[in-house]
């Protein structure tokens, strides 16, 4: 797991005049689960995508594990991302879906098989490897997406509103599983949500964004409990 640092990062899209992210500096410790919380349009997803290298900064610097990755493309950063819509390949089995990214990362057949097996075990889906995504519940599909990101053993794991397609009961379960796995493996996780209750439940630290800047930053206790 690696730390993530922003030094005066600004992102201005295309011809827009207002920055989506405005001069943000932050340091995320390795091995922590940090939530970016805030209303729609405040810049959370843009922040996440800049960590992943899916958007390039307009100005400023991004460091992962102390190394400057500002100009590195997504493929050269040791980061994986779990999206809101889990985007599994419908014609591939669960195991094939999890193995898919490993092939591109240059792992051999044996290691690919072993990692996929371990990943599915971690999310409690060992018995589902031969099924197609359509034969799984929404919660199970989301767990496959988590496994697919985990098996790459990234330095940083990013979640963009991972639970928004699930009903309330499943949301609670899957977020608890994500938190358990994160703690068990000591992963650095940056987790985007607009749901305060969700942020309070899973985070070591919450960064509240508003209008492209950081409005508040602290542990759940510091932010939401009265002294
Ligand atoms: P959040 O994730 O908090 O909802 P975003 O980071 O998606 O916020 O968006 C921040 C701002 O940037 C919004 O004003 C949004 O309209 C704008 N924005 C996001 N993506 C793009 C894009 N690809 N092109 C232009 N503007 C964008
Ligand atoms: P979700 O991931 O949506 O929470 P569950 O884990 O509750 O789903 O299980 C969804 C369905 O799969 C249920 O019908 C359950 O009985 C079945 N199921 C759960 N675990 C196993 C398993 N190890 N082998 C076969 N079927 C299972």
């Amino acid at each position: 797991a690696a730390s993530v640092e922003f030094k005066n990062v600004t992102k201005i899209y295309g011809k827009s005049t207002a920055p989506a992210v405005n001069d943000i500096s932050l340091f995320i410790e390795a091995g922590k689960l940090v939530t970016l919380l805030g209303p729609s349009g405040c810049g959370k997803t843009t922040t996440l995508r800049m960590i992943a290298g899916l958007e390039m900064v307009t100005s400023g610097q991004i460091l992962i594990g102390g190394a400057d990755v500002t100009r590195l493309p997504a493929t050269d950063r040791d980061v994986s991302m779990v999206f809101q819509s889990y985007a599994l390949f419908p014609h591939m089995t669960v195991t094939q879906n999890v193995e898919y990214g490993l092939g591109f990362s240059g792992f051999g057949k044996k290691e690919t098989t072993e990692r996929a097996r371990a990943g599915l075990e971690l999310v409690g889906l060992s018995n589902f490897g031969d099924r197609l995504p359509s034969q799984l519940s929404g919660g199970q599909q989301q767990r496959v997406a988590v496994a697919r990101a985990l098996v790459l053993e990234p330095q940083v794991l990013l979640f963009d509103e991972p639970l928004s397609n699930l009903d309330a009961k499943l949301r609670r379960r899957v977020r608890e599983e994500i938190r358990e796995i994160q703690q068990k493996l000591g992963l650095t996780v940056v987790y985007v949500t607009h749901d305060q209750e969700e942020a309070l439940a899973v985070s070591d630290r919450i960064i509240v964004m508003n209008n492209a800047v950081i409005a508040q930053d602290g542990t759940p206790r510091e932010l939401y409990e009265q002294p």
Side-chain angles (χ1 to χ4, degrees):
S3 60
V4 176
E5 185 169 10
F6 274 38
K7 292 184 180 173
N8 301 102
V9 170
T10 292
K11 174 68 183 184
I12 302 173
Y13 284 105
K15 294 196 178 70
S16 58
T17 47
V21 167
N22 192 358
D23 195 21
I24 281 186
S25 295
L26 56 79
F27 184 84
I28 293 171
E29 255 182 273
K32 300 288 186 193
L33 192 159
V34 174
T35 304
L36 302 177
L37 174 68
S40 181
C42 71
K44 305 181 298 294
T45 299
T46 300
T47 301
L48 207 64
R49 291 174 63 83
M50 289 192 292
I51 298 172
L54 298 172
E55 293 291 347
M56 288 294 147
V57 307
T58 304
S59 61
Q61 278 179 300
I62 298 178
L63 290 80
I64 295 178
D68 189 338
V69 300
T70 311
R71 317 232 170 275
L72 287 186
T75 46
D76 294 347
R77 299 189 191 187
D78 196 359
V79 169
S80 42
M81 187 147 162
V82 178
F83 296 93
Q84 181 174 105
S85 53
Y86 6 95
L88 302 178
F89 297 106
H91 58 288
M92 291 186 193
T93 65
V94 164
T95 294
Q96 287 166 341
N97 265 283
V98 174
E99 289 179 344
Y100 183 76
L102 290 166
F104 293 105
S105 304
F107 294 105
K109 180 85 183 79
K110 198 166 162 220
E111 170 135 35
T112 296
T113 305
E114 171 52 26
R115 281 191 180 220
R117 191 202 59 73
L120 286 175
E121 186 176 326
L122 212 47
V123 298
L125 291 176
S126 293
N127 296 329
F128 293 80
D130 295 333
R131 294 206 196 177
L132 293 171
S134 60
Q135 297 170 310
L136 301 181
S137 68
Q140 290 170 333
Q141 289 182 39
Q142 187 55 285
R143 276 142 57 187
V144 176
V146 172
R148 190 174 55 177
L150 278 177
V151 294
L152 298 168
E153 296 183 12
Q155 292 287 358
V156 181
L157 185 56
L158 307 176
F159 287 91
D160 190 3
E161 306 248 7
L163 311 180
S164 49
N165 289 327
L166 306 180
D167 67 39
K169 182 166 161 259
L170 267 180
R171 273 207 294 276
R172 277 195 297 278
R173 260 184 53 190
V174 178
R175 84 188 184 200
E176 279 160 22
E177 286 170 5
I178 289 172
R179 178 61 159 163
E180 269 174 35
I181 293 168
Q182 179 268 331
Q183 289 184 318
K184 186 167 165 189
L185 302 183
L187 296 171
T188 307
V189 169
V190 186
Y191 188 107
V192 163
T193 182
H194 62 268
D195 181 342
Q196 179 176 309
E197 199 239 329
E198 190 172 306
L200 286 170
V202 298
S203 312
D204 290 308
R205 171 178 163 205
I206 300 174
I207 296 173
V208 183
M209 292 185 71
N210 198 10
N211 274 326
V213 299
I214 295 174
Q216 293 182 78
D217 185 348
T219 64
R221 179 174 294 225
E222 284 164 354
L223 293 186
Y224 293 102
E225 280 182 16
Q226 297 305 319

XYZ file of all heavy atoms in Angstrom, residues 115-172:
446
model
N -4.325 -16.186 -8.306
C -4.791 -14.888 -7.806
C -6.303 -14.758 -7.907
O -6.963 -14.222 -7.020
C -4.140 -13.754 -8.590
C -2.724 -13.482 -8.147
C -2.252 -12.184 -8.763
N -0.898 -11.913 -8.338
C -0.434 -10.722 -8.010
N -1.210 -9.667 -8.085
N 0.796 -10.556 -7.624
N -6.855 -15.214 -9.020
C -8.313 -15.123 -9.199
C -9.022 -15.976 -8.144
O -10.016 -15.549 -7.552
C -8.698 -15.569 -10.602
N -8.477 -17.144 -7.893
C -9.061 -18.018 -6.866
C -9.045 -17.325 -5.508
O -10.049 -17.262 -4.801
C -8.267 -19.334 -6.796
C -8.926 -20.416 -5.952
C -7.942 -21.471 -5.459
N -6.871 -20.891 -4.640
C -7.019 -20.439 -3.401
N -8.197 -20.492 -2.814
N -5.996 -19.906 -2.748
N -7.895 -16.759 -5.154
C -7.759 -16.087 -3.853
C -8.678 -14.864 -3.766
O -9.277 -14.599 -2.723
C -6.299 -15.679 -3.635
N -8.795 -14.144 -4.872
C -9.649 -12.954 -4.895
C -11.109 -13.299 -4.685
O -11.814 -12.642 -3.907
N -11.554 -14.362 -5.333
C -12.958 -14.769 -5.183
C -13.211 -15.299 -3.771
O -14.280 -15.079 -3.203
C -13.331 -15.820 -6.233
C -13.487 -15.255 -7.646
C -13.730 -16.366 -8.662
C -14.626 -14.227 -7.704
N -12.206 -15.944 -3.205
C -12.352 -16.425 -1.830
C -12.513 -15.240 -0.871
O -13.351 -15.241 0.022
C -11.142 -17.270 -1.446
C -11.293 -17.920 -0.080
C -10.125 -18.836 0.262
O -9.592 -19.471 -0.670
O -9.757 -18.875 1.444
N -11.714 -14.210 -1.101
C -11.738 -13.031 -0.240
C -13.116 -12.361 -0.213
O -13.543 -11.836 0.812
C -10.686 -12.042 -0.760
C -9.948 -11.126 0.185
C -9.417 -11.856 1.404
C -8.778 -10.488 -0.564
N -13.798 -12.356 -1.341
C -15.119 -11.724 -1.377
C -16.248 -12.742 -1.198
O -17.420 -12.430 -1.392
C -15.346 -10.910 -2.679
C -14.337 -9.774 -2.794
C -15.305 -11.802 -3.913
N -15.882 -13.974 -0.818
C -16.896 -14.964 -0.480
C -17.625 -15.565 -1.667
O -18.778 -15.964 -1.545
N -16.942 -15.637 -2.810
C -17.618 -16.160 -4.005
C -16.891 -17.356 -4.612
O -16.983 -17.607 -5.816
C -17.758 -15.049 -5.055
C -18.721 -13.909 -4.712
C -18.688 -12.836 -5.797
C -20.143 -14.428 -4.542
N -16.217 -18.127 -3.756
C -15.458 -19.277 -4.258
C -16.304 -20.237 -5.080
O -15.815 -20.865 -6.013
C -14.845 -20.042 -3.091
O -13.876 -19.248 -2.473
N -17.560 -20.361 -4.736
C -18.402 -21.349 -5.421
C -19.091 -20.798 -6.668
O -19.931 -21.466 -7.255
C -19.471 -21.884 -4.474
C -18.855 -22.637 -3.321
O -17.791 -23.243 -3.465
N -19.493 -22.585 -2.169
N -18.748 -19.567 -7.042
C -19.495 -18.915 -8.118
C -18.659 -18.671 -9.370
O -19.107 -18.023 -10.304
C -20.071 -17.595 -7.615
C -21.136 -17.780 -6.564
C -20.803 -18.045 -5.242
C -22.476 -17.705 -6.914
C -21.793 -18.233 -4.279
C -23.473 -17.891 -5.961
C -23.128 -18.151 -4.646
N -17.429 -19.211 -9.376
C -16.489 -18.916 -10.449
C -16.975 -19.269 -11.846
O -16.630 -18.608 -12.820
N -17.790 -20.320 -11.953
C -18.219 -20.781 -13.275
C -19.518 -20.129 -13.740
O -19.991 -20.404 -14.829
C -18.399 -22.308 -13.271
C -17.069 -23.010 -13.051
O -16.030 -22.414 -13.416
O -17.071 -24.120 -12.484
N -20.098 -19.277 -12.910
C -21.356 -18.640 -13.307
C -21.116 -17.429 -14.195
O -20.046 -16.831 -14.179
C -22.125 -18.180 -12.068
C -22.580 -19.337 -11.216
C -23.792 -18.950 -10.423
N -23.999 -19.892 -9.341
C -24.973 -19.773 -8.441
N -25.799 -18.730 -8.492
N -25.110 -20.663 -7.486
N -22.166 -17.068 -14.905
C -22.147 -15.814 -15.651
C -22.674 -14.704 -14.742
O -23.438 -14.970 -13.811
C -23.040 -15.922 -16.898
C -22.542 -16.901 -17.972
C -23.609 -17.085 -19.047
C -21.227 -16.413 -18.584
N -22.248 -13.451 -14.977
C -22.720 -12.344 -14.145
C -24.247 -12.307 -14.001
O -24.765 -12.019 -12.920
C -22.201 -11.107 -14.878
C -20.951 -11.578 -15.533
C -21.243 -13.000 -15.959
N -24.953 -12.623 -15.084
C -26.426 -12.567 -15.039
C -27.014 -13.587 -14.068
O -28.177 -13.499 -13.702
C -26.999 -12.795 -16.437
O -26.589 -14.062 -16.916
N -26.212 -14.555 -13.663
C -26.689 -15.562 -12.714
C -26.368 -15.186 -11.267
O -26.517 -15.998 -10.364
C -26.068 -16.923 -13.050
C -26.477 -17.432 -14.433
C -25.677 -18.650 -14.860
O -24.449 -18.664 -14.800
N -26.369 -19.692 -15.309
N -25.921 -13.961 -11.058
C -25.590 -13.502 -9.706
C -26.518 -12.371 -9.289
O -27.058 -11.648 -10.123
C -24.154 -12.965 -9.656
C -23.012 -13.897 -10.032
C -21.690 -13.164 -9.877
C -23.031 -15.157 -9.190
N -26.643 -12.192 -7.978
C -27.381 -11.042 -7.456
C -26.550 -9.772 -7.646
O -25.349 -9.834 -7.911
C -27.659 -11.239 -5.965
O -26.443 -11.167 -5.239
N -27.191 -8.617 -7.473
C -26.478 -7.342 -7.594
C -25.299 -7.257 -6.638
O -24.207 -6.817 -7.012
N -25.495 -7.692 -5.422
C -24.421 -7.645 -4.426
C -23.262 -8.548 -4.805
O -22.088 -8.196 -4.627
N -23.599 -9.704 -5.341
C -22.534 -10.616 -5.763
C -21.769 -10.050 -6.948
O -20.544 -10.169 -7.018
C -23.144 -11.976 -6.105
C -23.644 -12.709 -4.870
C -24.455 -13.949 -5.222
O -25.073 -14.023 -6.291
N -24.473 -14.911 -4.321
N -22.479 -9.426 -7.880
C -21.796 -8.822 -9.028
C -20.848 -7.722 -8.572
O -19.728 -7.606 -9.070
C -22.821 -8.242 -10.010
C -23.600 -9.308 -10.757
C -24.564 -8.710 -11.765
O -24.265 -7.733 -12.439
N -25.749 -9.288 -11.861
N -21.292 -6.933 -7.605
C -20.420 -5.868 -7.119
C -19.191 -6.458 -6.433
O -18.087 -5.931 -6.540
C -21.188 -4.927 -6.181
C -20.428 -3.686 -5.759
C -19.901 -2.867 -6.927
O -18.929 -3.233 -7.581
N -20.541 -1.741 -7.200
N -19.368 -7.582 -5.756
C -18.219 -8.232 -5.117
C -17.244 -8.794 -6.150
O -16.033 -8.820 -5.921
C -18.705 -9.311 -4.143
C -19.047 -8.676 -2.793
C -20.254 -9.272 -2.122
N -20.157 -10.694 -1.906
C -21.171 -11.433 -1.450
N -22.321 -10.862 -1.178
N -21.015 -12.717 -1.267
N -17.751 -9.263 -7.282
C -16.853 -9.696 -8.365
C -16.006 -8.505 -8.838
O -14.802 -8.622 -9.058
C -17.643 -10.287 -9.564
C -16.685 -10.631 -10.709
C -18.421 -11.535 -9.130
N -16.666 -7.338 -8.961
C -15.932 -6.140 -9.390
C -14.849 -5.774 -8.368
O -13.747 -5.362 -8.730
C -16.895 -4.973 -9.583
N -15.155 -5.952 -7.078
C -14.159 -5.695 -6.031
C -13.007 -6.693 -6.162
O -11.831 -6.313 -6.125
C -14.796 -5.780 -4.627
C -13.735 -5.705 -3.534
C -15.833 -4.662 -4.438
N -13.341 -7.970 -6.371
C -12.301 -9.002 -6.525
C -11.409 -8.694 -7.719
O -10.184 -8.825 -7.650
C -12.942 -10.385 -6.691
N -12.029 -8.273 -8.812
C -11.281 -7.980 -10.040
C -10.258 -6.860 -9.815
O -9.158 -6.893 -10.356
C -12.270 -7.579 -11.136
C -11.675 -7.471 -12.498
C -12.729 -7.230 -13.538
N -13.543 -6.064 -13.236
C -14.512 -5.605 -14.037
N -14.788 -6.239 -15.151
N -15.195 -4.555 -13.693
N -10.611 -5.877 -8.983
C -9.663 -4.798 -8.672
C -8.612 -5.263 -7.663
O -7.434 -4.933 -7.776
C -10.418 -3.587 -8.123
N -9.045 -6.067 -6.688
C -8.140 -6.526 -5.621
C -7.004 -7.397 -6.134
O -5.880 -7.296 -5.635
C -8.922 -7.369 -4.608
C -9.716 -6.683 -3.528
C -10.455 -7.756 -2.717
C -8.806 -5.864 -2.625
N -7.305 -8.284 -7.082
C -6.302 -9.266 -7.497
C -5.083 -8.619 -8.147
O -4.023 -9.232 -8.240
C -6.887 -10.339 -8.447
C -7.905 -11.189 -7.719
C -7.467 -9.717 -9.709
N -5.232 -7.378 -8.583
C -4.087 -6.669 -9.157
C -3.135 -6.199 -8.063
O -2.038 -5.745 -8.344
C -4.577 -5.476 -9.981
C -5.467 -5.844 -11.177
C -6.149 -4.616 -11.750
C -4.640 -6.544 -12.251
N -3.580 -6.342 -6.793
C -2.801 -5.883 -5.638
C -2.230 -4.494 -5.868
O -1.013 -4.277 -5.804
C -1.697 -6.884 -5.292
C -2.279 -8.222 -4.855
C -1.223 -9.228 -4.438
O -0.048 -8.834 -4.268
O -1.578 -10.403 -4.285
N -3.117 -3.534 -6.113
C -2.645 -2.181 -6.417
C -2.099 -1.481 -5.180
O -2.468 -1.821 -4.058
C -3.915 -1.481 -6.900
C -5.014 -2.171 -6.160
C -4.588 -3.612 -6.068
N -1.243 -0.503 -5.418
C -0.750 0.344 -4.325
C -1.891 1.172 -3.741
O -1.893 1.493 -2.566
C 0.337 1.299 -4.846
C 1.612 0.624 -5.250
C 2.413 0.151 -4.050
O 2.025 0.356 -2.904
N 3.534 -0.494 -4.312
N -2.842 1.517 -4.610
C -3.991 2.300 -4.179
C -5.232 1.751 -4.879
O -5.203 1.470 -6.075
C -3.829 3.797 -4.547
C -5.032 4.599 -4.060
C -2.537 4.370 -3.970
N -6.312 1.585 -4.112
C -7.568 1.086 -4.665
C -8.623 2.188 -4.550
O -8.808 2.765 -3.476
C -7.988 -0.154 -3.873
C -9.217 -0.933 -4.320
C -9.097 -1.388 -5.772
C -9.396 -2.168 -3.425
N -9.274 2.481 -5.669
C -10.222 3.591 -5.717
C -11.639 3.068 -5.912
O -11.864 2.168 -6.728
C -9.863 4.526 -6.878
C -8.422 5.030 -6.924
C -8.187 5.856 -8.185
C -8.097 5.844 -5.685
N -12.589 3.654 -5.192
C -13.996 3.277 -5.335
C -14.807 4.522 -5.670
O -14.796 5.488 -4.915
C -14.538 2.695 -4.025
C -14.051 1.320 -3.707
C -12.906 1.140 -2.950
C -14.736 0.205 -4.154
C -12.450 -0.135 -2.635
C -14.291 -1.072 -3.855
C -13.148 -1.248 -3.095
N -15.534 4.472 -6.775
C -16.390 5.592 -7.145
C -17.848 5.217 -6.926
O -18.438 4.522 -7.740
C -16.156 5.972 -8.609
C -16.844 7.273 -8.967
O -17.454 7.903 -8.078
O -16.777 7.665 -10.144
N -18.412 5.665 -5.820
C -19.812 5.357 -5.478
C -20.128 3.889 -5.760
O -21.044 3.582 -6.521
C -20.764 6.250 -6.278
C -20.472 7.727 -6.132
C -21.555 8.475 -5.367
O -22.482 7.831 -4.822
O -21.456 9.709 -5.306
N -19.400 2.968 -5.135
C -19.496 1.564 -5.545
C -20.840 0.918 -5.221
O -21.151 -0.125 -5.772
C -18.376 0.892 -4.750
C -18.216 1.740 -3.543
C -18.452 3.142 -4.022
N -21.612 1.518 -4.334
C -22.799 0.822 -3.840
C -24.100 1.416 -4.332
O -25.176 0.976 -3.930
C -22.787 0.827 -2.298
C -21.467 0.376 -1.669
C -21.564 0.406 -0.164
C -21.102 -1.026 -2.144
N -24.020 2.400 -5.216
C -25.235 3.145 -5.533
C -26.272 2.337 -6.306
O -27.433 2.696 -6.336
C -24.897 4.434 -6.276
O -24.034 4.140 -7.323
N -25.852 1.225 -6.917
C -26.844 0.417 -7.627
C -27.487 -0.662 -6.747
O -28.256 -1.478 -7.233
C -26.208 -0.256 -8.842
C -25.903 0.754 -9.929
O -26.632 1.735 -10.085
N -24.826 0.542 -10.649
N -27.138 -0.664 -5.462
C -27.628 -1.724 -4.575
C -28.724 -1.198 -3.657
O -28.770 -0.001 -3.352
C -26.474 -2.262 -3.720
C -25.245 -2.729 -4.497
C -24.184 -3.221 -3.530
C -25.615 -3.840 -5.465
N -29.573 -2.114 -3.201
C -30.596 -1.668 -2.253
C -29.948 -1.461 -0.869
O -28.810 -1.849 -0.628
C -31.773 -2.637 -2.205
C -31.407 -3.991 -1.628
O -30.613 -4.049 -0.663
O -31.914 -5.001 -2.131
N -30.714 -0.834 0.031
C -30.138 -0.367 1.296
C -29.487 -1.485 2.112
O -28.414 -1.315 2.669
C -31.215 0.340 2.118
N -30.113 -2.635 2.133
C -29.606 -3.737 2.946
C -28.266 -4.233 2.385
O -27.300 -4.446 3.117
C -30.648 -4.862 2.951
C -30.281 -6.053 3.792
C -31.500 -6.951 4.015
C -31.083 -8.346 4.439
N -31.130 -9.305 3.319
N -28.231 -4.397 1.065
C -27.004 -4.852 0.422
C -25.893 -3.827 0.541
O -24.721 -4.175 0.685
C -27.261 -5.104 -1.057
C -27.635 -6.522 -1.428
C -27.847 -6.596 -2.922
C -26.530 -7.469 -1.001
N -26.263 -2.555 0.455
C -25.260 -1.492 0.602
C -24.514 -1.646 1.910
O -23.299 -1.552 1.956
C -25.923 -0.112 0.556
C -26.088 0.432 -0.838
C -26.115 1.953 -0.840
N -27.289 2.475 -0.162
C -28.476 2.630 -0.736
N -28.659 2.289 -1.992
N -29.478 3.109 -0.040
N -25.260 -1.894 2.966
C -24.605 -2.051 4.269
C -23.685 -3.259 4.281
O -22.577 -3.206 4.783
C -25.659 -2.164 5.381
C -26.184 -0.814 5.849
C -26.936 -0.920 7.166
N -28.125 -1.756 7.040
C -29.292 -1.324 6.557
N -29.426 -0.069 6.179
N -30.317 -2.138 6.462
